[in-house]
Amino acid sequence: SIAEGFGLPPLEAMQAGCPLCYSIDTSLAEVVDYNGQFFKPTSISNLKQALKTLWTNKKLRQHFSKSGIQRAKQFDWSLTAQQTLAVYKLIQLNE
């Protein structure tokens, strides 16, 4: 995509061990921590090359599969809820 939000679908894919191709012009590089093959979303040839590279390079796919699983483990709904609650409590204290 050309404009992406946080990136739950890539995180879900990484959690499942699926290697990624993702747009470098969005927040996804930060979310996935470069654990995938990136491309410029406005360049068809760049997207084509990224897909071809991932498709034809088994070692790279395996690397991104393993590293993606590790990266996805850093995102946890329980931790997110705790941090969100802490922010709410901080705001409440400052009112």
Side-chain angles (χ1 to χ4, degrees), residues 9-49:
L11 282 177
E12 291 170 341
M14 289 190 321
Q15 187 178 31
C18 181
L20 302 176
C21 279
Y22 64 91
S23 169
I24 193 65
D25 289 349
T26 68
S27 64
L28 294 181
E30 183 179 349
V31 173
V32 304
D33 196 29
Y34 297 94
N35 288 295
Q37 187 68 41
F38 61 82
F39 61 91
K40 296 281 291 173
T42 56
S43 171
I44 294 172
S45 63
N46 195 239
L47 172 57
K48 180 181 173 182
Q49 185 58 49

Side-chain angles (χ1 to χ4, degrees), residues 35-85:
N35 288 295
Q37 187 68 41
F38 61 82
F39 61 91
K40 296 281 291 173
T42 56
S43 171
I44 294 172
S45 63
N46 195 239
L47 172 57
K48 180 181 173 182
Q49 185 58 49
L51 290 168
K52 184 178 179 182
T53 297
L54 201 55
W55 182 262
T56 60
N57 190 328
K58 182 178 180 179
K59 210 173 208 182
L60 186 63
R61 284 194 314 273
Q62 290 172 336
H63 167 74
F64 285 145
S65 177
K66 290 178 185 177
S67 65
I69 289 170
Q70 293 306 309
R71 175 63 176 167
K73 287 179 182 179
Q74 295 176 356
F75 295 88
D76 178 86
W77 282 115
S78 178
L79 179 60
T80 300
Q82 291 171 11
Q83 290 173 338
T84 302
L85 181 59

